[in-house]
Amino acid sequence: MVYTLAYRRPSYVSRGSSRDSMSGDEKQKSINDSIHSGSSGSSRGIPDALSFDRIIAGGVCPPCTVRDFMNYLKYIEHAAENLQFFLWHRDYSKRFSNLPEHERALSPEWTLAQAEAEAAGAQLGRQKKVSPSVAVALKGTDFADGPRVSEVEKSNPFHTPPRTPSGDEKRENGSFDYGSSNGDDKSTAWLSSKQYNHHKKAEGAFEDAGLKWQPFTVQPYREEIARIISIYIVDGGARQLNLSSRERTALLHALENTTHPSAFQSVLTTVEWSLRCQAHPNFIRWTICNGNRARVIFARGLGIGGITVGLIGCLLITLSSAGRAWRVLPIIGFLIGISTLIAAWKGMCVVLHGMHHRHLRPWELFAGEDDEVTDVEMKNQSTDTLASASSNSYEDEPWVAKYDKRNVIRKVFDREVWIQEPALRQIQDTIFLQSILASFVLSAIAVGIFCAVPHGNYY
């Protein structure tokens, strides 16, 4: 089964091609269109079976899974932080909504009106006020309006750990506990050196934005938010998002007041738009290629060779005294050569396609059994991995040096694996059929031209 013969694979979308020229409302509209239509916004050539939401939901097979998408962003586009942040926020929103009502009340929703007021500088330079909902929740506690904490506590702004689920509680789908309140006797041990570094980096980000780092530590997941700021938001972070200065400042304004997931809405819109309308079409386009670069170049060479053989055959027969019917024989070389060249031009090797195989990616070739992660494990893995301070740099990974040492012949005949995703096989079948039909038409034209030429009678 194939798609229509008019099918075209997704066009390549360059990063930042239209991002700066689009407003937040336009990006949100594009996202909504992508969700409702099942496509990727401005890109065509992506079937519903390979839509962004279906991939994120884990409804596809290799090589189109979330893990494959993550590897593509890490090793090819070098923008894995977008998907990592997106997956973290989805998980964070689920965990936040599962908190008890009295804990969620400590971090009220961040509305558009508040964001506009902060962006206009209406609250800059003013003493931070507690919202009514937070004031009610803090009534009768040390955090209520009134006498301030002691000078000793002022010297350690992280003296009170954030209100997060206890260490014995496990959230659904293999979550990670980011901190808990186990008593005042453990409050000082709670602050590790890494956590302190996260807070120092977050404090620096607030200072750069002209804000004062005095968030309400009683708010849920405040420690986790500090980690996210230091990793994804602060300049020079391990997984720094590509945000404008305005977007970064607006986000820090929101996080100064609340840890509600809505505080990330403006940034999430930019990240999700980049994933849906840029990274996802490019990922599908890249996945259609079933061979590595060496194999594709080799296939192009074979295609050119087949065309050359057909052309030489036509010339030799035309210059001879043989009948015109013999001039049709070189059409075989034209058919093989042109079809192979067209398929290779789209990144496909017809030999691999005949078996519905693909080459293993370089990072897959040297992966051990312990390194393999299924799509289900990817979805259910600890959020600590998505919010870790490790960078996405891969230059020091062992497979890089090993793959560089492989000779060209070995790369051309690298290990193969069966393509499990049916929708991807259908796309490749369509491209293969298109190349066969195009080669037949072009071959017929070429042979027809030689058949019309008079006999050479040179031998």
Side-chain angles (χ1 to χ4, degrees):
M1 180 179 178
V2 297
Y3 297 107
T4 62
L5 294 179
Y7 171 84
R8 297 186 63 183
R9 62 174 179 161
S11 302
Y12 180 78
V13 184
S14 60
R15 294 179 60 187
S17 57
S18 58
R19 169 187 166 183
D20 297 335
S21 61
M22 295 183 65
S23 63
D25 293 338
E26 291 174 334
K27 292 178 181 178
Q28 188 60 52
K29 183 179 181 300
S30 180
I31 292 173
N32 294 335
D33 293 341
S34 173
I35 295 175
H36 295 151
S37 65
S39 63
S40 293
S42 60
S43 176
R44 298 183 299 173
I46 302 179
D48 293 341
L50 296 178
S51 65
F52 177 81
D53 295 293
R54 191 174 179 87
I55 291 176
I56 296 299
V60 294
C61 301
C64 302
T65 63
V66 178
R67 169 58 60 180
D68 296 311
F69 193 14
M70 183 72 76
N71 287 335
Y72 166 77
L73 291 174
K74 180 178 181 179
Y75 299 120
I76 305 300
E77 285 213 351
H78 312 294
E81 62 275 0
N82 288 330
L83 183 56
Q84 291 163 345
F85 179 82
F86 179 80
L87 294 175
W88 168 83
H89 187 271
R90 283 168 61 97
D91 181 84
Y92 179 74
S93 300
K94 182 186 299 184
R95 285 183 286 127
F96 192 93
S97 63
N98 291 334
L99 287 174
E101 179 64 29
H102 68 277
E103 290 194 25
R104 281 187 281 118
L106 297 175
S107 292
E109 183 178 359
W110 187 249
T111 62
L112 180 61
Q114 288 175 298
E116 292 175 349
E118 291 287 356
Q123 298 181 5
L124 289 177
R126 300 181 183 178
Q127 183 178 2
K128 183 167 60 178
K129 302 295 183 180
V130 181
S131 62
S133 58
V134 176
V136 173
L138 296 179
K139 186 176 181 181
T141 68
D142 294 338
F143 297 93
D145 289 340
R148 298 300 177 186
V149 295
S150 65
E151 293 298 323
V152 175
E153 292 174 337
K154 281 184 178 180
S155 62
N156 183 8
F158 316 117
H159 180 73
T160 304
R163 289 287 301 164
T164 57
S166 64
D168 296 332
E169 296 175 351
K170 299 293 183 179
R171 64 176 178 84
E172 298 178 357
N173 298 331
S175 66
F176 180 79
D177 180 28
Y178 284 92
S180 59
S181 299
N182 296 326
D184 292 338
D185 57 327
K186 295 185 179 180
S187 60
T188 56
W190 166 83
L191 188 60
S192 66
S193 59
K194 283 189 176 181
Q195 291 169 332
Y196 180 75
N197 290 334
H198 288 313
H199 280 275
K200 291 295 290 183
K201 290 181 180 180
E203 181 180 0
F206 277 87
E207 291 178 354
D208 293 340
L211 306 174
K212 195 173 182 180
W213 174 240
Q214 288 183 348
F216 302 111
T217 55
V218 74
Q219 290 177 334
Y221 299 119
R222 176 54 72 178
E223 162 63 19
E224 182 174 346
I225 293 300
R227 295 178 60 187
I228 294 302
I229 293 175
S230 68
I231 296 170
Y232 290 96
I233 309 302
V234 69
D235 286 334
R239 300 177 180 178
Q240 181 183 355
L241 297 173
N242 186 17
L243 304 176
S244 65
S245 176
R246 181 178 180 181
E247 290 172 328
R248 183 179 293 105
T249 302
L251 174 59
L252 293 175
H253 272 295
L255 296 179
E256 185 189 23
N257 294 275
T258 182
T259 58
H260 195 279
S262 59
F264 294 93
Q265 187 56 48
S266 60
V267 172
L268 185 67
T269 299
T270 299
V271 170
E272 186 173 359
W273 184 87
S274 297
L275 288 172
R276 286 182 179 273
C277 301
Q278 292 180 342
H280 176 237
N282 293 343
F283 169 64
I284 299 301
R285 177 186 174 92
W286 175 79
T287 307
I288 292 174
C289 304
N290 59 4
N292 57 30
R293 179 176 176 81
R295 182 60 169 260
V296 171
I297 294 177
F298 179 72
R300 291 178 182 177
L302 289 180
I304 295 174
I307 296 174
T308 302
V309 170
L311 183 61
I312 294 175
C314 282
L315 288 174
L316 292 176
I317 298 174
T318 302
L319 295 176
S320 70
S321 58
R324 293 181 184 272
W326 288 99
R327 301 182 191 181
V328 181
L329 188 60
I331 195 175
I332 299 175
F334 283 119
L335 283 173
I336 296 176
I338 295 176
S339 61
T340 301
L341 184 61
I342 293 177
W345 203 261
K346 297 184 179 182
M348 285 180 48
C349 173
V350 293
V351 177
L352 291 176
H353 173 70
M355 300 177 290
H356 277 139
H357 282 189
R358 69 173 179 89
H359 272 156
L360 288 175
R361 310 301 181 187
W363 51 88
E364 296 175 324
L365 281 171
F366 305 99
E369 296 181 358
D370 296 337
D371 298 330
E372 296 179 357
V373 182
T374 64
D375 192 39
V376 175
E377 292 172 342
M378 173 66 185
K379 290 177 59 182
N380 297 337
Q381 70 174 333
S382 169
T383 307
D384 185 44
T385 302
L386 300 176
S388 68
S390 61
S391 67
N392 292 319
S393 176
Y394 64 89
E395 288 78 5
D396 296 332
E397 293 187 9
W399 67 264
V400 176
K402 292 180 180 179
Y403 190 75
D404 289 340
K405 293 179 181 179
R406 296 170 78 90
N407 58 63
V408 176
I409 302 300
R410 192 174 183 184
K411 290 181 180 179
V412 171
F413 299 100
D414 261 340
R415 285 162 47 196
E416 306 166 10
V417 64
W418 183 60
I419 297 175
Q420 301 180 35
E421 176 53 46
L424 182 60
R425 296 200 301 268
Q426 287 181 249
I427 293 177
Q428 294 176 338
D429 290 340
T430 303
I431 294 176
F432 177 73
L433 182 59
Q434 289 173 340
S435 65
I436 291 293
L437 294 177
S439 67
F440 179 80
V441 173
L442 294 176
S443 299
I445 293 174
V447 172
I449 293 174
F450 280 101
C451 288
V453 176
H455 290 285
N457 293 321
Y458 285 103
Y459 49 90

